[in-house]
Amino acid sequence: MGETRVDLLHLLEDLRDAYPGSLEETIVSEIVANSLDSHAATVVFTTDPGERTLRVVDDGSGMTRSELRRYHDLAASGKTRGRGIGFAGVGIKLGLLACDEVLTETRRGKAHVATTWRLASRHRAPWSWLPPLGLVAERGTAVRLTLSNGLSPLLDPTFLRTVLRTHFAPLLDAAFRPILAAPYPRGVSFVVQGVPLEAEPSSGERASVAVRLARRRNPSGIGFLERNAEPLPEQRRGLAVSTFGKVIKRGWDWVGLSPAHPERIGGLVEIPAVAASLSLNKGDFLRTGPRGASFLAHRKAVQEAVSAQFAAWGEARDAREARRPRTGRIERALRTVLADLAQEFPLLTALVDWRRGGQGRLRLAGHVAGAAIAGSVVVPVAAVAEHEAVPSPPSSAPPEPELAPSSPAAALPPATAGPRRPVHSGLTIRFGHRPDDAELGRLEDSTVWVNEAHPAFRRAAALRAEDYHVALTVALTLAPLTVEPGAERRFVTTFLARWGDAAERRGPRSRRAR
């Protein structure tokens, strides 16, 4: 009889790569998440560079002996999604990649037990019971990491403070106590090397934000927007969203809004209900299914609240700054183009999902021909500056931009034969104001964000050629997905030519509708 073996090292490395931050940052965040889920009120960090150890002790509910035994199993967790931050059963297990030993001591009632754990080989991570060392006083859990590298950032108190302020800012801000009192009735405080951690001081103007879903009396989330006379540090720009005190995302892209001066405005909203929509790595939210629908509903409420404050501050985007094209008309033309190109570029057939009845969508997340499609693709601009100097009218074929050839990959089978059906592309177009970004735009999730602050967009607006600029941005965004050698240049040229034909065909209909 055979036996299934697991390459633990490879598995842990893959899990590490799925998290948005560094390994050390992830380890700190996961330890704190476990403490918060156990209703801890105090989490104490102590480093000893001489011994290469980091000790984290909380006063939470602790674990029983059977719970500590399951703690060592990958993907094993007794937590329920939506009732806290941790639910994937990964957590501290990533610490095996950076440590010679992970010692865990926990105490609940009469149960006071401890274990030691290490990664002995690619396939073995043995753990054993040992007598408690007395790291926990009355109740709670202590984790002591013996780092493999004596220069690890985990031994630096400044690094620990930065990670805690970045990822758990709502727990340090008194403004969030009303909404966090339910999950953390005793409050939460952090102590690093014997010094209590405090929130970063704010010198700008603050405005409260309440996130309200329709027909609900009490807000689902609260937060603030802050406006400074001078540009904010990069880590404080944009709106952050947190759940149960853990910051998940920051920026303007996720909320789909941008103020007139994005470099001077930041903020934070805490929405406990979106914890049920968290992805496994807690770096983003689901956008499909019932959980995704919950997040999208809360995001819409955030948009309404933030837009009202932008208007009050005079930070709403001025339509006169750049004449935006009507994206609906462009998106309709793009549906036809993508359906055509799926026949000519076989690699795109994996992106277009044909369904019975003529419905379909463009899948922009996943894997194509063994190459991962990133959730955020940046559009290069160096190769198109000269190309956009004098935009061609939509009906004429544009000159070919100089694009670097892509890496080779195996081609997919040709497109399925049969009658042509209309396809609905999940691709949407939005505009963002990013004056410090040198790129034309970027692909995030299923949205192409066009940078309306880029000089090329302003030049196109002055020439009344914004439609062509948007089409070019979309073409350059999707070009990396056609990973055949030399296909990117041909794809962009063909895309723009087909788009010009589609826009020309739809032009009279659009004018009659108006």
Side-chain angles (χ1 to χ4, degrees), residues 55-99:
R55 186 171 71 246
V56 186
V57 183
D58 68 51
D59 60 353
S61 58
M63 292 181 280
T64 64
R65 186 180 184 90
S66 60
E67 288 173 339
L68 182 58
R69 181 185 293 109
R70 292 195 304 270
Y71 163 89
H72 300 89
D73 297 332
L74 287 175
S77 176
K79 303 174 185 178
T80 303
R81 184 193 286 262
R83 296 186 179 179
I85 304 172
F87 56 87
V90 178
I92 188 57
K93 300 167 179 68
L94 292 177
L96 296 173
L97 292 174
C99 302

Side-chain angles (χ1 to χ4, degrees), residues 5-9 119-125:
R5 301 189 69 191
V6 176
D7 190 334
L8 290 174
L9 178 60
L119 189 64
S121 67
R122 297 190 67 94
H123 303 277
R124 295 180 61 250

Side-chain angles (χ1 to χ4, degrees), residues 476-496:
L476 289 169
T477 302
L478 298 181
L481 307 185
T482 59
V483 292
E484 295 174 335
E488 290 187 19
R489 177 176 177 176
R490 185 167 62 90
F491 172 81
V492 173
T493 302
T494 307
F495 182 99
L496 293 175

